[in-house]
Amino acid sequence: MPPETPSHAAGRLDDDDYPAYTMGRAAEMIGATPGFLRAIGEARLITPLRSEGGHRRYSRYQLRIAARARELVDGGTPVEAACRIVILEDQLEEALRLNDELRLNEERRGRAD
């Protein structure tokens, strides 16, 4: 990642997709270990960006996903299964959002006729 000016970097702090957190800080924030973050990365639940030095960097969005997987694992679900559940939950949420959007568009068209 190229260095940023202080004002540009400060503006990115509100960006959920900005990879602001190192592996150690990310693990600390979700109450997990770096090994857990590596495991969910290997399961392709999240793919952290890499700094110029090759270090993993995580966004807030990725940390929310990781925290959900950790909840499932803490409840006894194996890591691979937890990752699959989180992926399916995310796909379902997106499908429901698209359905609502399509339904709203259909209602608008119906009123316009």
Side-chain angles (χ1 to χ4, degrees), residues 76-91:
T77 305
V79 171
E80 289 282 335
C83 290
R84 186 68 185 138
I85 290 168
V86 172
I87 289 167
L88 290 169
E89 287 175 342
D90 192 51
Q91 289 172 345

Side-chain angles (χ1 to χ4, degrees), residues 21-43:
Y21 304 100
T22 62
M23 177 180 273
R25 180 69 179 127
E28 179 183 305
M29 289 173 70
I30 65 167
T33 64
F36 176 78
L37 290 174
R38 279 191 291 275
I40 63 174
E42 289 169 11

